[in-house]
Amino acid sequence: MDEALLRSLTPSVLTILVRRGADFAAAEDAVQDALVEALRVWPADPPRDAKGWLVTVAWRKFLDQARADSARRRREDLVEEEPAPGPTPDADDTLQLYFLCAHPSLTPSSAVALTLRAVGGLTTRQIAQAYLVPEATMAQRISRAKRTVSGVRFDRPGDVATVLRVLYLVFNEGYSGDVDLSAEAIRLTRQLAGIIDHPEVAGLLALMLLHHARRAGRTAPDGSLVPLAEQDRGRWDTAAIAEGIGILQAALARDRLGEFQAQAAIAALHADARTAEETDWVQIVEWYDELLRLTDNPVVRLNRAVAVGEADGPRAGLAALAALDVSLPRHTAVAAYLHERDGDPETAARLYAEAARKAPHLAERDYLTRQAARLNAGRRR
């Protein structure tokens, strides 16, 4: 059973059901039921037209649900619209579905959460981590979003800003999380850049390319995490870096700075440095200041504290960190790093161990545990 194929077909099938009159929540339930049926049937009897099979089964599941409602007249209209037998046109509706989920009836945060769950395939836990909220809170937000769009016709797609936010979060989860979605996010952002001439769309594409270019250097052969300063820069994708920088320069030349362009500028400074020691940290701090002017984000402030520690010394970084909420994800790991650079291995080891217990991913947890063990071993010598 090719689960990747099922995942790739899901957005198109969901879009077809919505186009044919199904409300979003009911269509999503029907598609999920069809996927379960495919997992049961396909291993023994694979269809010749996988997408057509899913559309037919999902539509029947939706009609079964609709027949349980009291709106008989509406049900009869839907039956007349059942798709005719035969091959289904091969079209990529994923990007359109992103716009449909960013519906004006939803707040931007709810639209992002709903799209990540329904189209991006992320779990409620992963979305909650991206938003820095408890999982139960995010589950309620997604449920409210489904109720809001239930029965709404998707004839007024949402705005570009919300779609960009969704693509950004999907890329981040694919880049650092449990599900590999980064390549798909880049593909969709390329599509969007091809149809919308907007510097922030270009900025997001540049940011993705610059981060993705470093991906091969982020892990060692045994799967362990390699921090940026220790990465083998010879493993970075120089073609992707050159493309990302070129796209970014063209966007910045339009003098309509946005947060994705500012983030891409920071990534470009990292990617352009031949060695970690040659990184222009002073300019990176300046770009973080621009980013904070655009969006007062606590994660940005945390990353700025690291940059300040590199540009002006660890004491300055710790002073910047002291102004932030200690419950912020990775706050403890940053504190450990800055204390180690400030010559306090005992405090750093304790904080690395504490950060390891809080780490959301296994690779990060293992890296922080090794850092604590390294410092403790050094103190015992």
Side-chain angles (χ1 to χ4, degrees):
M1 168 59 63
D2 189 347
E3 295 188 19
L5 173 63
L6 287 177
R7 188 184 301 137
S8 68
L9 292 174
T10 298
S12 292
V13 176
L14 184 54
T15 301
I16 289 171
L17 264 63
V18 170
R19 284 175 176 170
R20 293 184 179 278
D23 69 70
F24 186 88
E28 186 189 11
D29 290 341
V31 172
Q32 293 302 317
D33 289 343
L35 294 176
V36 172
E37 187 73 5
L39 290 170
R40 184 181 68 83
V41 172
W42 285 12
D45 185 20
R48 284 177 294 182
D49 179 7
K51 181 177 175 181
W53 189 97
L54 284 172
V55 170
T56 300
V57 173
W59 188 256
R60 288 173 181 166
K61 296 286 186 182
F62 169 70
L63 291 179
D64 288 343
Q65 295 169 0
R67 290 188 183 99
D69 298 336
S70 60
R72 181 173 301 275
R73 182 175 300 176
R74 178 57 184 154
R75 293 200 304 272
E76 292 173 353
D77 291 341
L78 292 171
V79 170
E80 293 175 0
E81 296 172 10
E82 183 170 359
T88 305
D90 185 14
D92 184 0
D93 299 306
T94 308
L95 188 56
Q96 181 182 9
L97 191 56
Y98 272 69
F99 274 96
L100 292 176
C101 287
H103 196 268
S105 63
L106 295 172
T107 64
S109 61
S110 294
V112 170
L114 178 62
T115 314
L116 290 171
R117 184 71 184 92
V119 189
L122 275 64
T123 65
T124 304
R125 176 183 60 81
Q126 290 168 323
I127 302 169
Q129 288 176 348
Y131 269 91
L132 310 180
V133 299
E135 184 175 348
T137 300
M138 183 52 64
Q140 293 175 354
R141 185 178 300 178
I142 294 172
S143 295
R144 285 196 300 269
K146 287 182 177 180
R147 288 195 300 270
T148 299
V149 300
S150 181
V152 172
R153 292 300 298 267
F154 286 78
D155 54 356
R156 290 190 301 144
D159 65 352
V160 175
T162 301
V163 173
L164 288 179
R165 179 61 52 190
V166 175
L167 288 168
Y168 173 69
L169 291 174
V170 169
F171 176 83
N172 278 348
E173 190 59 41
Y175 188 70
S176 61
D178 304 323
V179 183
D180 186 0
L181 295 168
S182 54
E184 174 69 359
I186 291 173
R187 185 183 70 83
L188 292 173
T189 306
R190 282 192 188 279
Q191 284 189 11
L192 189 59
I195 61 177
I196 296 178
D197 182 21
H198 193 289
E200 271 296 82
V201 177
L204 178 58
L205 178 57
L207 175 63
M208 289 180 175
L209 289 169
L210 290 164
H211 277 303
H212 202 62
R214 304 201 306 258
R215 186 167 189 175
R218 293 184 72 245
T219 54
D222 62 0
S224 59
L225 192 65
V226 180
L228 177 61
E230 300 173 18
Q231 288 177 19
D232 178 1
R233 299 184 179 221
R235 300 183 65 194
W236 291 0
D237 186 342
T238 54
I241 290 173
E243 182 187 6
I245 290 176
I247 292 172
L248 172 63
Q249 289 175 338
L252 291 175
R254 301 176 65 176
D255 199 23
R256 291 168 56 193
L257 184 63
E259 61 174 298
F260 293 124
Q261 294 169 74
Q263 288 190 54
I266 294 168
L269 287 166
H270 283 298
D272 202 36
R274 292 178 298 176
T275 65
E277 293 73 23
E278 294 180 57
T279 304
D280 190 343
W281 287 105
V282 173
Q283 193 172 168
I284 287 176
V285 172
E286 292 174 355
W287 274 112
Y288 273 123
D289 290 339
E290 288 290 336
L291 190 53
L292 284 173
R293 183 178 60 80
L294 295 165
T295 171
D296 189 11
N297 186 300
V299 175
V300 174
R301 290 192 177 278
L302 182 68
N303 291 334
R304 181 185 179 278
V306 176
V308 168
E310 299 290 351
D312 300 327
R315 294 284 175 92
L318 287 168
L321 189 66
L324 303 181
D325 187 346
V326 296
S327 66
L328 191 64
R330 296 187 173 88
H331 182 286
T332 308
V334 170
Y337 172 73
L338 291 172
H339 275 288
E340 180 183 359
R341 288 203 59 228
D342 194 38
D344 186 357
E346 181 177 357
T347 300
R350 175 178 56 79
L351 290 172
Y352 274 130
E354 181 183 339
R357 293 190 293 270
K358 300 176 182 178
H361 305 297
L362 180 60
E364 185 177 348
R365 189 179 315 139
D366 289 345
Y367 169 77
L368 293 168
T369 300
R370 289 196 305 272
Q371 295 298 96
R374 173 180 58 82
L375 291 178
N376 284 327
R379 288 167 50 217
R380 287 193 292 268
R381 291 193 188 118

